[in-house]
Amino acid sequence: MSDTGAKAGPEPSERTVIGITFGNSNSSIAYLVDDKAEVIANEDGDRQIPTILSYVDGEEYYGQQAKNFLVRNSENTVAYFRDFLGKEFKSIDPTHNHASAHPQESGETVSFTVKDKAGEEEAASTLSISEVATRYLRRLVGSASEYLGKKVTSAVITVPTNFNDKQKAALVAAAAAADLEVLQLISEPIAAALAYDARPEAKVQDKVIVVADLGGTRSDVAIVASRGGMYTVLATVHDYEFAGVALDKVLMDHFAKEFLKKNSGAKDPRENARSLAKLRLESESTKRALSLGTNASFSVESLSDGVDFASTINRLRYETIARAVFEGINRLVESAVKKAGLDVLDVDEVILSGGTSHTPRIASNLSNIFPQSTRILAPSTEVTALNPSEAEARGAALQASLIQDYEAEDIEQSTHAAVTTVPHVANAIGVISVNEAGEEVFVPIVPPETAVPARRTVHVSAPNGGDVLVKVVEGNTHIKVTQPEPKTKENGDSKAAKVEDADDSDEEDSDFSEDEEEEEKREKVWKIGSTLAEAGVKGVKKGGKVEVSITVNSDLSVIVTAREVGGKGGVRGTLTS
Ligand code: ATP
């Protein structure tokens, strides 16, 4: 961040800070009021503000107003540009820009040509991607300043986990040109996790979180270990196929086909740019309505050849035709868990964030791959879930308020670890205890993926007292699979029938995930690994307790201390990594 060469920011005491999410599809602004992060509505009343600029007769429109211009002013409307920041033309994917201003090569970077001045004779301007981002951020900050009644000076902005240094520098520079100091860039999944953990009812405990950030043009999944309030990103996957626009496309095809069926002789609305834009906008709003209700309408005036079209669709039908996308999202999440070297049984929480996460079927499909004990934090599965479109902006606002009093240089120093992968222990470290059945079992003290340095303490009961031997060992989990008792099936070929239906999914209602079959039982069990240390605590009282402390240093060396609770002395030993 320091390599931007930007002018020094405001004094900490003069800052007014906000949190910003700056997406390819939508952006949001949030601020902190009475310790609670709130997402701000812009002048149009929108909290999800389309990341779009449009120019008409020299006037600049942004957000939803600009989005509406995609129908009749598409060539002067710039959309889906965030991911192009800091990139060379040859490495961008312009797929989503075919129905708006086209990105073009401009030296090392990308630009757009639009008529942004009034008057027929005015030549079009070529705007660099940085200039587009600056203009857009200026509008966002303007809306926030207007709402707050004072000039916003600084922000924490969220970025995807795969944003490289060049992209980050380009974003910081674009913000600086909009007179906005970037206090910090934080990764999107961490922002979502922060928003959840900052709630008063949240218990900050060690856990493994999956953050599925499902947006319009991309789906990003991150596996995050939260240990002692510190977040470590264990693995990430990024996908550009199974996201919101793919769901729009499913509905666009559905309604276009229906339109053609009902209006024989009419032109396919997908073959004309203006009709296609209308089809796309209305399909997206129908899709959003289907997240709330079980039925939604679709209605477009003069869809094609001057013919109006109105229809309805129910949720079940939508879920059937969109099945491939939903299944893709499930596979994506599973692959991220696998990439982190974990099992679904290791996951404590799944945070669904991003606009597409409002879709009830996505949340319920995900709950099918995780055990019941895993919390699926989405509006349709958990009443207390945060609005998935707002979680990241709130997290960014919380972080902004937390660090606003620091000098710029100190921020970089003090918060670095929160956003990058930090060293962590691979295996758990714990002690061996004996269960009621007399078997040796592993009791974890330092969970796996704990960021180091870390210190944990437990009390181990010593019911018989005397000389107690504490064995400190590594532990790792394995998944114990118990097959169900074989059952005779009443209808042996029901599976085969289902597979056939899948080919004709357009017509059939789906029941793809509600299989009532008894499943094999999978449980996570600890396996005792290699012994790290043995400590003998002498003369423990009957029914007493032994306190075992384990400290893992940054170089992964381990210090173990063991002593009787309330007793004197103790044993201490250091092990090198
Ligand atoms: P990206 O950068 O991936 O393009 P983003 O982070 O800019 O996305 P989001 O607002 O998170 O944008 O997601 C936008 C997507 O969410 C759009 O496809 C939009 O249609 C979809 N969406 C918004 N609200 C809902 C809803 N209630 N139900 C279903 N989908 C929704």
Side-chain angles (χ1 to χ4, degrees):
M1 252 180 276
S2 50
D3 54 351
T4 58
K7 59 182 186 311
E11 286 297 313
S13 60
E14 282 162 14
R15 284 184 182 132
T16 298
V17 304
I18 55 169
I20 295 181
T21 56
F22 178 35
N24 288 301
S25 304
N26 294 304
S27 298
S28 290
I29 38 188
Y31 80 118
L32 218 69
V33 53
D34 299 335
D35 285 341
K36 234 183 124 225
E38 295 285 355
V39 174
I40 301 172
N42 71 355
E43 301 82 344
D44 300 328
D46 294 323
R47 290 185 170 75
Q48 277 71 60
I49 306 167
T51 308
I52 306 181
L53 286 174
S54 185
Y55 294 92
V56 183
D57 298 331
E59 281 280 330
E60 182 184 80
Y61 295 85
Y62 98 114
Q64 188 57 46
Q65 294 192 30
K67 188 167 179 175
N68 295 339
F69 278 120
L70 283 169
V71 175
R72 53 190 180 84
N73 183 38
S74 58
E75 68 277 21
N76 293 311
T77 303
V78 188
Y80 299 118
F81 57 86
R82 196 275 319 264
D83 274 358
F84 302 163
L85 264 172
K87 285 226 164 163
E88 286 179 31
F89 181 75
K90 61 175 185 291
S91 63
I92 65 163
D93 173 9
T95 311
H96 300 294
N97 306 87
H98 58 85
S100 56
H102 297 298
Q104 63 212 35
E105 187 159 12
S106 176
E108 289 278 278
T109 75
V110 178
S111 65
F112 295 87
T113 299
V114 289
K115 266 186 99 258
D116 62 341
K117 295 187 193 74
E120 274 306 307
E121 64 293 346
E122 287 292 345
S125 312
T126 295
L127 310 177
S128 68
I129 177 67
S130 305
E131 173 64 16
V132 172
T134 297
R135 289 187 183 188
Y136 183 78
L137 288 170
R138 197 177 281 136
R139 298 300 301 266
L140 272 188
V141 171
S143 297
S145 301
E146 181 142 318
Y147 182 92
L148 297 174
K150 52 187 169 184
K151 190 179 175 320
V152 168
T153 60
S154 319
V156 165
I157 307 183
T158 64
V159 289
T161 50
N162 63 347
F163 239 44
N164 63 33
D165 288 346
K166 226 170 141 194
Q167 289 174 289
K168 289 180 186 170
L171 174 54
V172 173
D179 206 14
L180 179 70
E181 177 198 28
V182 176
L183 290 174
Q184 192 185 21
L185 298 176
I186 64 169
S187 70
E188 292 168 345
I190 300 297
L194 275 174
Y196 269 98
D197 282 345
R199 299 187 308 166
E201 67 268 34
K203 283 189 242 113
V204 176
Q205 58 195 27
D206 291 352
K207 58 191 168 189
V208 173
I209 312 166
V210 171
V211 182
D213 180 0
L214 313 174
T217 59
R218 48 187 291 166
S219 288
D220 302 283
V221 183
I223 313 297
V224 180
S226 168
R227 305 278 182 238
M230 167 96 90
Y231 300 107
T232 312
V233 176
L234 302 177
T236 57
V237 295
H238 310 279
D239 180 86
Y240 301 86
E241 189 182 348
F242 302 113
V245 291
L247 295 169
D248 299 342
K249 172 86 174 31
V250 163
L251 286 173
M252 287 162 71
D253 287 339
H254 170 82
F255 287 118
K257 278 189 212 154
E258 196 177 301
F259 172 78
L260 291 172
K261 217 187 260 176
K262 290 195 178 146
N263 298 281
S264 55
K267 281 214 193 71
D268 189 332
R270 291 168 293 184
E271 283 165 11
N272 162 296
R274 196 172 275 208
S275 301
L276 183 69
K278 288 183 183 175
L279 183 66
R280 179 175 291 120
L281 283 179
E282 185 64 5
S283 294
E284 189 194 348
S285 79
T286 303
K287 176 188 76 173
R288 289 179 183 226
L290 284 167
S291 292
L292 279 181
T294 48
N295 268 293
S297 59
F298 174 98
S299 165
V300 177
E301 261 179 48
S302 181
L303 177 59
S304 178
D305 284 344
V307 183
D308 298 346
F309 182 60
S311 180
T312 57
I313 184 167
N314 67 33
R315 193 189 278 173
L316 208 57
R317 173 81 164 162
Y318 166 57
E319 290 174 348
T320 307
I321 60 178
R323 178 172 164 172
V325 181
F326 296 153
E327 288 180 346
I329 292 172
N330 260 25
R331 281 199 301 277
L332 200 67
V333 171
E334 284 176 309
S335 71
V337 174
K338 205 161 160 217
K339 195 170 166 191
L342 298 177
D343 187 89
V344 287
L345 295 175
D346 294 313
V347 175
D348 302 294
E349 281 177 6
V350 179
I351 295 179
L352 278 153
S353 97
T356 300
S357 292
H358 285 277
T359 314
R361 189 75 202 203
I362 292 177
S364 70
N365 280 5
L366 282 176
S367 62
N368 289 335
I369 57 175
F370 287 96
Q372 263 194 339
S373 53
T374 305
R375 291 177 72 194
I376 309 288
L377 297 164
S380 59
T381 48
E382 182 109 16
V383 277
T384 60
L386 293 175
N387 179 340
S389 295
E390 298 190 352
E392 290 171 13
R394 288 176 186 229
L398 286 160
Q399 181 75 355
S401 90
L402 216 68
I403 61 178
Q404 64 177 332
D405 296 330
Y406 292 98
E407 298 290 340
E409 314 81 69
D410 297 339
I411 290 172
E412 221 179 324
Q413 298 283 319
S414 66
T415 51
H416 197 59
V419 290
T420 51
T421 305
V422 294
H424 54 274
V425 293
N427 292 329
I429 301 174
V431 291
I432 295 177
S433 173
V434 176
N435 67 10
E436 302 94 58
E439 296 156 342
E440 285 198 332
V441 289
F442 176 77
V443 181
I445 300 178
V446 180
E449 289 92 33
T450 297
V452 294
R455 182 188 151 91
R456 298 295 147 90
T457 303
V458 288
H459 287 176
V460 184
S461 316
N464 301 326
D467 294 348
V468 177
L469 181 69
V470 181
K471 253 194 192 179
V472 179
V473 293
E474 281 193 316
N476 41 48
T477 52
H478 79 127
I479 306 299
K480 187 171 143 202
V481 181
T482 318
Q483 296 297 341
E485 291 294 312
K487 253 199 226 161
T488 36
K489 276 228 170 134
E490 282 168 32
N491 180 0
D493 43 38
S494 65
K495 258 255 139 78
K498 249 173 233 157
V499 173
E500 269 168 35
D501 284 349
D503 288 334
D504 195 12
S505 56
D506 220 328
E507 298 306 321
E508 292 297 321
D509 287 342
S510 128
D511 59 352
F512 52 95
S513 55
E514 259 117 32
D515 223 315
E516 289 302 320
E517 254 177 59
E518 204 181 316
E519 289 185 3
E520 59 184 25
K521 189 168 154 227
R522 299 175 75 250
E523 56 193 320
K524 195 168 79 171
V525 290
W526 285 105
K527 238 172 57 186
I528 297 172
S530 52
T531 303
L532 295 175
E534 292 188 3
V537 184
K538 295 221 161 80
V540 176
K541 281 201 303 281
K542 213 166 176 210
K545 282 198 161 85
V546 173
E547 181 188 272
V548 183
S549 277
I550 297 183
T551 306
V552 187
N553 299 316
S554 338
D555 61 358
L556 296 177
S557 62
V558 179
I559 300 171
V560 180
T561 59
R563 63 177 188 92
E564 184 181 357
V565 176
K568 284 196 208 94
V571 207
R572 177 186 161 101
T574 304
L575 310 158
T576 48
S577 56

